[in-house]
Amino acid sequence: MQAQLAHQMAIAPTGNIMIACAMGAAALGLLALYFGALLGIVRSDLTSGMKLVWLAFALMAPFFGCLLWFLVGRRDAQRRAGIA
């Protein structure tokens, strides 16, 4: 019984470290998505009003706003630049 308990206690810190590393990597990924979207919005060829709308949406809903920018907004900005 003590051997099993000692084995479980030896494994526990390793699991915690792995979880902390995974959470840290996820947080860095979200930050990269967020700042990448903000930079992409600011540098896009959209009008100032549309940039403001996208920035407000990205600031109010950081994950979904940035995700929508990459899925919809960038493509729309590139299409509008080709029209003008």
Side-chain angles (χ1 to χ4, degrees):
M1 182 73 143
Q2 276 186 331
Q4 184 180 10
L5 182 61
H7 178 69
Q8 287 177 350
M9 292 193 63
I11 292 175
T14 305
N16 291 339
I17 291 171
M18 294 297 288
I19 291 172
C21 288
M23 290 177 66
L28 284 175
L30 287 174
L31 280 173
L33 176 77
Y34 184 67
F35 287 116
L38 292 180
L39 186 63
I41 293 169
V42 171
R43 295 181 70 189
S44 71
D45 291 331
L46 293 173
T47 62
S48 297
M50 283 305 295
K51 283 183 187 182
L52 188 61
V53 168
W54 274 108
L55 282 171
F57 191 61
L59 291 173
M60 287 190 298
F63 179 71
F64 292 114
C66 295
L67 191 63
L68 281 176
W69 165 254
F70 284 115
L71 293 176
V72 179
R74 260 182 39 175
R75 189 177 315 136
D76 187 44
Q78 290 171 351
R79 183 180 57 83
R80 288 179 190 253
I83 292 172

